[in-house]
Amino acid sequence: MLELEHIAWDTPEGENIIHDISLNIEEGRLAVITGPNGGGKTTTAKLIAGLITPASGKIYFDGQDITDMDITARANAGIAYAFQQPVRFKGLSVRDILELSAGRELNEGELCGLLGKVGLCANDYIDRELNAGLSGGEMKRIEIATVLARDAKLSVFDEPEAGIDLWSFSKLVEAFKEIQKEKRGTLLIISHQERILEIADEIIVVAKGRVRAAGAREEILPSLLKDEMSNMCPLDKG
């Protein structure tokens, strides 16, 4: 499904952020990338989505080399990405953005279902404009709903817990579990939330621009919960 081979990336100023990352995520899995702040988690997500291009290495998706594809081409190939800080679209309503993401008109039940999964009431939001009138937390939840509407082959979520309340976060975890159970695509989540780590099929620990550990949840999570690992990579109980 998704394979990264010896990926490296430098900032425009020449600072090496990603040194050597290799990973393989199988179809239908829920994988979580975790690790300390500044370790390269979000940069890895951006490399997968096509927001930035690696300095070296290869990225394969469904057996196709996508290393030089831009974000639009990768979206067309079946990769969806939720930004850590959502983009606002003046002039578009919540209904508009959800239908654009789904690629078709959505009935009221479908709109309600998508917004309900992120803790929003459809009646209060479907006709609202995506502008400054919405809080950062509301925008975050709406963007996550647009990714769910895509029903993509691979959905990448960069710290989806950021900026949303505990109740909405609980609804989001349930949505992830539903996708996982129904095998509706592959999920890759950047997170240090213990509740998300607990539902992962596999966990990848990224620190200092390298994969420090990777494997099944049952293998990796216990070590993350130990005091010595918690000091390096603190987990958020949620």
Side-chain angles (χ1 to χ4, degrees):
M1 158 59 86
L2 178 70
E3 185 176 359
L4 275 62
E5 291 186 350
H6 302 294
I7 294 296
W9 182 78
D10 304 328
T11 67
E13 294 72 33
E15 182 183 1
N16 185 222
I17 302 298
I18 300 298
H19 301 291
D20 184 358
I21 286 186
S22 295
L23 58 87
N24 195 336
I25 298 170
E26 297 179 4
E27 185 175 357
R29 305 285 281 176
L30 193 164
V32 177
I33 295 179
T34 193
N37 291 335
K41 303 186 302 297
T42 289
T43 302
T44 301
K46 289 180 177 179
L47 285 162
I48 292 168
L51 289 164
I52 52 179
T53 303
S56 61
K58 293 289 184 180
I59 302 174
Y60 297 94
F61 181 65
D62 275 353
Q64 180 182 9
D65 185 347
I66 64 169
T67 310
D68 297 321
M69 280 188 180
D70 62 20
I71 189 171
T72 301
R74 295 191 199 196
N76 290 333
I79 298 175
Y81 179 76
F83 289 84
Q84 193 175 120
Q85 297 296 326
V87 179
R88 296 177 185 270
F89 298 94
K90 187 176 181 180
L92 290 180
S93 69
V94 174
R95 181 194 298 271
D96 292 334
I97 198 68
L98 288 174
E99 291 185 338
L100 283 170
S101 299
R104 61 182 178 85
E105 289 187 7
L106 299 172
N107 61 42
E108 300 302 307
E110 290 172 316
L111 290 165
C112 186
L114 286 167
L115 292 172
K117 287 177 180 178
V118 294
L120 296 177
C121 175
N123 289 337
D124 293 338
Y125 285 91
I126 54 174
D127 294 319
R128 291 185 65 178
E129 187 176 334
L130 298 168
N131 57 22
L134 293 169
S135 70
E138 288 170 326
M139 283 297 303
K140 181 76 173 183
R141 284 180 277 176
I142 290 165
E143 184 186 41
I144 292 169
T146 66
V147 173
L148 296 176
R150 280 280 313 278
D151 204 18
K153 291 181 181 179
L154 172 66
S155 298
V156 182
F157 296 88
D158 188 5
E159 296 194 20
E161 67 271 14
I164 64 174
D165 58 76
L166 184 59
W167 185 80
S168 298
F169 176 65
S170 296
K171 296 283 288 182
L172 183 59
V173 171
E174 290 302 314
F176 289 150
K177 290 168 68 175
E178 179 184 335
I179 294 170
Q180 180 186 34
K181 180 180 178 181
E182 296 178 359
K183 301 294 183 183
R184 287 169 39 211
T186 303
L187 297 178
L188 178 60
I189 305 172
I190 312 300
S191 180
H192 48 76
Q193 279 278 351
E194 186 175 342
R195 289 181 61 192
I196 290 181
L197 291 166
E198 286 174 344
I199 66 170
D201 293 311
E202 55 192 271
I203 296 173
I204 301 155
V205 181
V206 172
K208 295 182 179 179
R210 301 180 186 273
V211 174
R212 296 301 186 188
R217 177 192 67 245
E218 297 83 0
E219 173 190 349
I220 302 298
L221 186 56
S223 66
L224 287 176
L225 296 174
K226 290 180 181 178
D227 289 340
E228 60 269 27
M229 183 60 82
S230 296
N231 289 333
M232 184 193 82
C233 171
L235 299 181
D236 194 333
K237 301 294 183 179

